[in-house]
């Protein structure tokens, strides 16, 4: 571990503590590039009434806007907690190089932030999931895929 890792993690933890004082969830995140803080955020789910406004999602959005790219491959994310399934997916989509976290999903579960259902549901066949999944109009939707595939203006990601 680099000394800077401790500094950036402490900032993520500080953001999580500040957010609790404001009535938000106990989660903070920082993204760095080349040893400098690029963006930072906290959990804004209740503040924005947005279930996707996790600290990691918010900080990825801020970093991508600052860099004007969706590819954050030169970045490191520091999260006060091990990322949930949604945030983990976003981290992979953003191509972030490294994840450093403090508390674990088990720690989060112990205070009511339990993601185990999501992990279980992902591995189940569609017909066995708790939420109904139904496929409809696949052939019509494939037209957009075909158009994208044939487009000369596409940006692959």
């Amino acid at each position: 571990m680099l000394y800077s890792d401790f500094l950036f993690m402490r900032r993520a933890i500080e953001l999580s503590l500040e957010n609790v004082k404001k009535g938000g969830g106990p989660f903070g995140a920082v993204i760095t590039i080349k040893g400098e803080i690029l963006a930072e955020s906290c959990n804004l789910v209740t503040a924005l009434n947005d279930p996707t406004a996790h600290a990691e999602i918010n900080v990825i959005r801020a970093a991508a806007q600052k860099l004007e790219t969706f590819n954050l491959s030169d970045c490191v994310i520091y999260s006060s907690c091990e990322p949930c399934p949604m945030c983990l997916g976003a981290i992979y989509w953003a191509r972030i190089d490294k994840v450093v976290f403090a508390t674990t999903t088990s720690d989060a579960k112990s205070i009511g932030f339990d993601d185990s259902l999501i992990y279980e549901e992902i591995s189940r066949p569609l017909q066995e999931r708790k939420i109904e999944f139904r496929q409809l109009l696949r052939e019509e939707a494939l037209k957009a895929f075909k158009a994208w595939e044939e487009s000369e203006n596409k940006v692959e990601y």
Side-chain angles (χ1 to χ4, degrees), residues 144-155:
F145 283 17
K146 180 88 170 141
W148 185 86
E149 190 175 47
E150 294 172 354
S151 174
E152 293 179 15
N153 300 322
K154 67 184 168 200
V155 176

Side-chain angles (χ1 to χ4, degrees), residues 4-5 7-8 10 14 28 34 67 71 73 81 88 94-95 98 101-102 104 106 111 115 118 123 131 137 144:
S4 58
D5 285 341
L7 293 175
F8 299 137
R10 285 194 176 104
E14 184 180 322
K34 298 177 182 157
L67 293 178
N71 186 334
S73 60
C81 186
L88 184 61
R95 296 175 178 83
K98 182 169 88 171
F101 64 93
T104 66
S106 295
I111 61 164
D115 299 323
I118 300 168
S123 64
I131 296 174
L137 300 176

Side-chain angles (χ1 to χ4, degrees), residues 133-149:
F133 280 72
R134 199 173 82 182
Q135 189 174 19
L136 187 65
L137 300 176
R138 178 176 180 264
E139 292 303 316
E140 286 183 40
L142 283 173
K143 291 176 187 172
F145 283 17
K146 180 88 170 141
W148 185 86
E149 190 175 47

